[in-house]
Amino acid sequence: FDEAGVGIITTTTMSAFAAPGTHLQELIVATATTEQKIACLKTLRIVVKNLADPLKSADPKFRQLKLSNEKVKAKITPCPSAIDYMKAIGFSQVTDSDGEEYLRIDATKTIDISHMQSSLVELNNALEMLTPKDVNSSFKEEKKSSEGVLPIKRPQPASSSSSTTEKLSEKQKARLLMEEKERKEKEAAKAARKKTAALIKADKYVRENDE
């Protein structure tokens, strides 16, 4: 037990952000059904979304996921890599004194909000790839008339990225997810370099004028 008598940490190493995208790819190509993967990702998204909120991330109840809960277990068990993903973004697997099992971020650990926001984007992208799209509903509108509510059908475009995505294999979807993540990381790095260069230029200007 820890000093507060809260529980026993069964996983002593906490590799925050040790290739979380890899575990997410494994989840996407897992042998579980698409419905099971979607249910699992939605569960993870709820937790990560709360941690991406600066206020909620400080609340202990939002810093954990109860694995021994039957509903949670039913959604997580079909996709074992989900636990690896959560560990990679900072969670540890713990067992409390009452035998209840959790994925938890220790109260003494500082949560990087920007990392959680990036993880939320990853989970949303993964869900978008796996969630079946109702093509017809995308091109329907409703209008009121004397005869009631009538649907208006618009013609489907000859080609669309959504229809192409639906035809991709699970491995291709995982690869696209990783490529999208890398693209965003490059854009963020480029923006950071630009900001740094601007700061250096401003600092140089100030020093020259001070002289």
Side-chain angles (χ1 to χ4, degrees):
F1 298 96
D2 60 15
E3 294 179 357
V6 174
I8 304 169
I9 297 180
T10 58
T11 304
T12 56
T13 57
M14 293 178 66
S15 55
F17 287 87
T22 301
H23 300 305
L24 199 56
Q25 286 186 62
E26 291 173 355
L27 193 157
I28 293 174
V29 300
T31 55
T33 66
T34 299
E35 289 74 17
Q36 288 173 325
K37 295 174 189 176
I38 290 174
C40 178
L41 287 169
K42 284 183 176 180
T43 301
L44 301 186
R45 184 175 64 176
I46 291 172
V47 179
V48 174
K49 185 177 181 180
N50 286 330
L51 295 180
D53 183 316
L55 294 177
K56 290 184 178 180
S57 64
D59 190 329
K61 72 179 180 181
F62 293 121
R63 296 167 67 104
Q64 64 183 18
L65 180 64
K66 189 175 182 181
L67 295 176
S68 51
N69 178 284
E70 290 302 320
K71 290 183 178 180
V72 173
K73 186 185 296 184
K75 293 177 180 179
I76 298 296
T77 301
C79 306
S81 55
I83 293 179
D84 294 328
Y85 177 79
M86 296 299 272
K87 288 180 180 178
I89 63 172
F91 284 80
S92 288
Q93 196 167 348
V94 305
T95 302
D96 279 357
S97 57
D98 56 3
E100 299 290 357
E101 192 174 5
Y102 294 84
L103 276 172
R104 177 182 294 151
I105 295 181
D106 190 83
T108 60
K109 187 176 179 66
T110 301
I111 293 176
D112 189 321
I113 300 299
S114 64
H115 283 176
M116 289 302 167
Q117 290 172 344
S118 297
S119 296
L120 184 59
V121 171
E122 284 185 339
L123 291 168
N124 283 331
N125 287 342
L127 274 166
E128 186 177 348
M129 289 182 176
L130 292 172
T131 304
K133 294 177 176 60
D134 186 349
V135 177
N136 290 330
S137 64
S138 300
F139 299 97
K140 282 185 179 180
E141 294 179 357
E142 290 184 342
K143 71 173 183 178
K144 292 183 179 179
S145 71
S146 57
E147 298 177 2
V149 178
L150 301 176
I152 300 177
K153 293 185 179 180
R154 297 187 181 276
Q156 182 180 358
S159 61
S160 65
S161 57
S162 61
S163 61
T164 302
T165 303
E166 290 175 12
K167 297 177 182 178
L168 296 177
S169 67
E170 298 295 338
K171 288 185 178 180
Q172 287 174 318
K173 290 178 180 179
R175 188 175 68 252
L176 284 175
L177 180 65
M178 180 57 73
E179 289 174 353
E180 177 67 13
K181 179 176 179 291
E182 290 175 351
R183 182 184 66 78
K184 290 182 179 179
E185 287 177 347
K186 288 179 181 178
E187 289 179 353
K190 183 178 179 181
R193 287 195 300 270
K194 186 176 180 181
K195 183 177 180 180
T196 301
L199 289 172
I200 292 173
K201 185 177 180 180
D203 181 63
K204 182 179 179 182
Y205 175 81
V206 171
R207 283 189 284 107
E208 288 176 348
N209 281 272
D210 285 343
E211 293 173 0

PDB file of all heavy atoms in Angstrom, residues 191-208:
ATOM      1  N   ALA A 191       5.542  25.146 -36.787  1.00  0.00           N
ATOM      2  CA  ALA A 191       4.990  26.333 -36.128  1.00  0.00           C
ATOM      3  C   ALA A 191       5.849  26.737 -34.937  1.00  0.00           C
ATOM      4  O   ALA A 191       6.073  27.923 -34.684  1.00  0.00           O
ATOM      5  CB  ALA A 191       3.556  26.056 -35.674  1.00  0.00           C
ATOM      6  N   ALA A 192       6.359  25.722 -34.214  1.00  0.00           N
ATOM      7  CA  ALA A 192       7.209  25.999 -33.056  1.00  0.00           C
ATOM      8  C   ALA A 192       8.525  26.645 -33.487  1.00  0.00           C
ATOM      9  O   ALA A 192       9.006  27.582 -32.842  1.00  0.00           O
ATOM     10  CB  ALA A 192       7.483  24.707 -32.288  1.00  0.00           C
ATOM     11  N   ARG A 193       9.103  26.129 -34.597  1.00  0.00           N
ATOM     12  CA  ARG A 193      10.349  26.712 -35.105  1.00  0.00           C
ATOM     13  C   ARG A 193      10.137  28.161 -35.545  1.00  0.00           C
ATOM     14  O   ARG A 193      10.977  29.027 -35.308  1.00  0.00           O
ATOM     15  CB  ARG A 193      10.870  25.880 -36.283  1.00  0.00           C
ATOM     16  CG  ARG A 193      11.460  24.537 -35.870  1.00  0.00           C
ATOM     17  CD  ARG A 193      12.279  23.933 -36.998  1.00  0.00           C
ATOM     18  NE  ARG A 193      11.481  23.699 -38.190  1.00  0.00           N
ATOM     19  CZ  ARG A 193      10.831  22.577 -38.450  1.00  0.00           C
ATOM     20  NH1 ARG A 193      10.885  21.573 -37.580  1.00  0.00           N
ATOM     21  NH2 ARG A 193      10.143  22.424 -39.563  1.00  0.00           N
ATOM     22  N   LYS A 194       8.993  28.403 -36.193  1.00  0.00           N
ATOM     23  CA  LYS A 194       8.677  29.757 -36.654  1.00  0.00           C
ATOM     24  C   LYS A 194       8.531  30.710 -35.472  1.00  0.00           C
ATOM     25  O   LYS A 194       9.015  31.850 -35.504  1.00  0.00           O
ATOM     26  CB  LYS A 194       7.386  29.725 -37.474  1.00  0.00           C
ATOM     27  CG  LYS A 194       7.027  31.050 -38.127  1.00  0.00           C
ATOM     28  CD  LYS A 194       5.793  30.893 -39.002  1.00  0.00           C
ATOM     29  CE  LYS A 194       5.443  32.232 -39.657  1.00  0.00           C
ATOM     30  NZ  LYS A 194       4.223  32.108 -40.508  1.00  0.00           N
ATOM     31  N   LYS A 195       7.876  30.220 -34.417  1.00  0.00           N
ATOM     32  CA  LYS A 195       7.676  31.038 -33.229  1.00  0.00           C
ATOM     33  C   LYS A 195       9.010  31.336 -32.555  1.00  0.00           C
ATOM     34  O   LYS A 195       9.266  32.458 -32.105  1.00  0.00           O
ATOM     35  CB  LYS A 195       6.739  30.319 -32.254  1.00  0.00           C
ATOM     36  CG  LYS A 195       6.409  31.130 -31.014  1.00  0.00           C
ATOM     37  CD  LYS A 195       5.425  30.374 -30.127  1.00  0.00           C
ATOM     38  CE  LYS A 195       5.091  31.188 -28.888  1.00  0.00           C
ATOM     39  NZ  LYS A 195       4.138  30.475 -28.001  1.00  0.00           N
ATOM     40  N   THR A 196       9.880  30.300 -32.486  1.00  0.00           N
ATOM     41  CA  THR A 196      11.188  30.473 -31.869  1.00  0.00           C
ATOM     42  C   THR A 196      12.022  31.487 -32.638  1.00  0.00           C
ATOM     43  O   THR A 196      12.691  32.343 -32.052  1.00  0.00           O
ATOM     44  CB  THR A 196      11.938  29.125 -31.818  1.00  0.00           C
ATOM     45  OG1 THR A 196      11.157  28.187 -31.067  1.00  0.00           O
ATOM     46  CG2 THR A 196      13.306  29.285 -31.163  1.00  0.00           C
ATOM     47  N   ALA A 197      11.973  31.382 -33.978  1.00  0.00           N
ATOM     48  CA  ALA A 197      12.726  32.314 -34.824  1.00  0.00           C
ATOM     49  C   ALA A 197      12.244  33.750 -34.609  1.00  0.00           C
ATOM     50  O   ALA A 197      13.044  34.687 -34.553  1.00  0.00           O
ATOM     51  CB  ALA A 197      12.568  31.920 -36.282  1.00  0.00           C
ATOM     52  N   ALA A 198      10.949  33.921 -34.470  1.00  0.00           N
ATOM     53  CA  ALA A 198      10.378  35.251 -34.251  1.00  0.00           C
ATOM     54  C   ALA A 198      10.823  35.816 -32.906  1.00  0.00           C
ATOM     55  O   ALA A 198      11.139  37.001 -32.786  1.00  0.00           O
ATOM     56  CB  ALA A 198       8.858  35.182 -34.321  1.00  0.00           C
ATOM     57  N   LEU A 199      10.875  34.928 -31.886  1.00  0.00           N
ATOM     58  CA  LEU A 199      11.301  35.359 -30.561  1.00  0.00           C
ATOM     59  C   LEU A 199      12.769  35.773 -30.568  1.00  0.00           C
ATOM     60  O   LEU A 199      13.164  36.759 -29.945  1.00  0.00           O
ATOM     61  CB  LEU A 199      11.072  34.236 -29.538  1.00  0.00           C
ATOM     62  CG  LEU A 199       9.608  33.940 -29.181  1.00  0.00           C
ATOM     63  CD1 LEU A 199       9.509  32.695 -28.316  1.00  0.00           C
ATOM     64  CD2 LEU A 199       8.978  35.131 -28.460  1.00  0.00           C
ATOM     65  N   ILE A 200      13.599  34.986 -31.276  1.00  0.00           N
ATOM     66  CA  ILE A 200      15.029  35.295 -31.379  1.00  0.00           C
ATOM     67  C   ILE A 200      15.226  36.639 -32.076  1.00  0.00           C
ATOM     68  O   ILE A 200      16.040  37.466 -31.665  1.00  0.00           O
ATOM     69  CB  ILE A 200      15.772  34.180 -32.140  1.00  0.00           C
ATOM     70  CG1 ILE A 200      15.770  32.893 -31.307  1.00  0.00           C
ATOM     71  CG2 ILE A 200      17.205  34.596 -32.458  1.00  0.00           C
ATOM     72  CD1 ILE A 200      16.327  31.690 -32.043  1.00  0.00           C
ATOM     73  N   LYS A 201      14.463  36.845 -33.152  1.00  0.00           N
ATOM     74  CA  LYS A 201      14.556  38.096 -33.914  1.00  0.00           C
ATOM     75  C   LYS A 201      14.148  39.282 -33.041  1.00  0.00           C
ATOM     76  O   LYS A 201      14.796  40.342 -33.045  1.00  0.00           O
ATOM     77  CB  LYS A 201      13.667  38.016 -35.150  1.00  0.00           C
ATOM     78  CG  LYS A 201      13.778  39.217 -36.069  1.00  0.00           C
ATOM     79  CD  LYS A 201      12.925  39.010 -37.310  1.00  0.00           C
ATOM     80  CE  LYS A 201      13.033  40.225 -38.242  1.00  0.00           C
ATOM     81  NZ  LYS A 201      12.200  40.051 -39.462  1.00  0.00           N
ATOM     82  N   ALA A 202      13.076  39.100 -32.279  1.00  0.00           N
ATOM     83  CA  ALA A 202      12.590  40.164 -31.409  1.00  0.00           C
ATOM     84  C   ALA A 202      13.603  40.461 -30.311  1.00  0.00           C
ATOM     85  O   ALA A 202      13.865  41.621 -29.966  1.00  0.00           O
ATOM     86  CB  ALA A 202      11.249  39.772 -30.790  1.00  0.00           C
ATOM     87  N   ASP A 203      14.198  39.406 -29.765  1.00  0.00           N
ATOM     88  CA  ASP A 203      15.195  39.576 -28.709  1.00  0.00           C
ATOM     89  C   ASP A 203      16.419  40.317 -29.240  1.00  0.00           C
ATOM     90  O   ASP A 203      16.983  41.184 -28.571  1.00  0.00           O
ATOM     91  CB  ASP A 203      15.602  38.202 -28.156  1.00  0.00           C
ATOM     92  CG  ASP A 203      16.620  38.314 -27.036  1.00  0.00           C
ATOM     93  OD1 ASP A 203      16.288  38.897 -25.993  1.00  0.00           O
ATOM     94  OD2 ASP A 203      17.758  37.824 -27.220  1.00  0.00           O
ATOM     95  N   LYS A 204      16.838  39.949 -30.437  1.00  0.00           N
ATOM     96  CA  LYS A 204      17.996  40.592 -31.069  1.00  0.00           C
ATOM     97  C   LYS A 204      17.719  42.084 -31.290  1.00  0.00           C
ATOM     98  O   LYS A 204      18.580  42.937 -31.045  1.00  0.00           O
ATOM     99  CB  LYS A 204      18.310  39.907 -32.399  1.00  0.00           C
ATOM    100  CG  LYS A 204      19.533  40.468 -33.100  1.00  0.00           C
ATOM    101  CD  LYS A 204      19.786  39.721 -34.400  1.00  0.00           C
ATOM    102  CE  LYS A 204      21.000  40.307 -35.125  1.00  0.00           C
ATOM    103  NZ  LYS A 204      21.242  39.619 -36.414  1.00  0.00           N
ATOM    104  N   TYR A 205      16.501  42.378 -31.732  1.00  0.00           N
ATOM    105  CA  TYR A 205      16.117  43.767 -31.982  1.00  0.00           C
ATOM    106  C   TYR A 205      16.162  44.578 -30.688  1.00  0.00           C
ATOM    107  O   TYR A 205      16.667  45.700 -30.653  1.00  0.00           O
ATOM    108  CB  TYR A 205      14.711  43.808 -32.590  1.00  0.00           C
ATOM    109  CG  TYR A 205      14.169  45.214 -32.781  1.00  0.00           C
ATOM    110  CD1 TYR A 205      14.550  45.977 -33.897  1.00  0.00           C
ATOM    111  CD2 TYR A 205      13.297  45.769 -31.842  1.00  0.00           C
ATOM    112  CE1 TYR A 205      14.070  47.255 -34.057  1.00  0.00           C
ATOM    113  CE2 TYR A 205      12.811  47.058 -32.011  1.00  0.00           C
ATOM    114  CZ  TYR A 205      13.189  47.795 -33.115  1.00  0.00           C
ATOM    115  OH  TYR A 205      12.724  49.074 -33.295  1.00  0.00           O
ATOM    116  N   VAL A 206      15.644  43.983 -29.605  1.00  0.00           N
ATOM    117  CA  VAL A 206      15.631  44.663 -28.319  1.00  0.00           C
ATOM    118  C   VAL A 206      17.045  44.934 -27.826  1.00  0.00           C
ATOM    119  O   VAL A 206      17.373  46.033 -27.361  1.00  0.00           O
ATOM    120  CB  VAL A 206      14.860  43.823 -27.259  1.00  0.00           C
ATOM    121  CG1 VAL A 206      15.038  44.433 -25.873  1.00  0.00           C
ATOM    122  CG2 VAL A 206      13.389  43.763 -27.622  1.00  0.00           C
ATOM    123  N   ARG A 207      17.926  43.917 -27.937  1.00  0.00           N
ATOM    124  CA  ARG A 207      19.306  44.085 -27.479  1.00  0.00           C
ATOM    125  C   ARG A 207      20.051  45.141 -28.280  1.00  0.00           C
ATOM    126  O   ARG A 207      20.837  45.930 -27.749  1.00  0.00           O
ATOM    127  CB  ARG A 207      20.027  42.734 -27.550  1.00  0.00           C
ATOM    128  CG  ARG A 207      19.647  41.796 -26.399  1.00  0.00           C
ATOM    129  CD  ARG A 207      20.498  40.546 -26.331  1.00  0.00           C
ATOM    130  NE  ARG A 207      20.115  39.579 -27.359  1.00  0.00           N
ATOM    131  CZ  ARG A 207      20.833  39.318 -28.442  1.00  0.00           C
ATOM    132  NH1 ARG A 207      21.957  39.969 -28.673  1.00  0.00           N
ATOM    133  NH2 ARG A 207      20.433  38.409 -29.320  1.00  0.00           N
ATOM    134  N   GLU A 208      19.836  45.155 -29.600  1.00  0.00           N
ATOM    135  CA  GLU A 208      20.503  46.132 -30.459  1.00  0.00           C
ATOM    136  C   GLU A 208      20.061  47.553 -30.127  1.00  0.00           C
ATOM    137  O   GLU A 208      20.861  48.499 -30.136  1.00  0.00           O
ATOM    138  CB  GLU A 208      20.229  45.821 -31.927  1.00  0.00           C
ATOM    139  CG  GLU A 208      20.954  44.581 -32.434  1.00  0.00           C
ATOM    140  CD  GLU A 208      20.580  44.244 -33.864  1.00  0.00           C
ATOM    141  OE1 GLU A 208      19.599  44.847 -34.363  1.00  0.00           O
ATOM    142  OE2 GLU A 208      21.246  43.371 -34.456  1.00  0.00           O
TER     143      GLU A 208
END
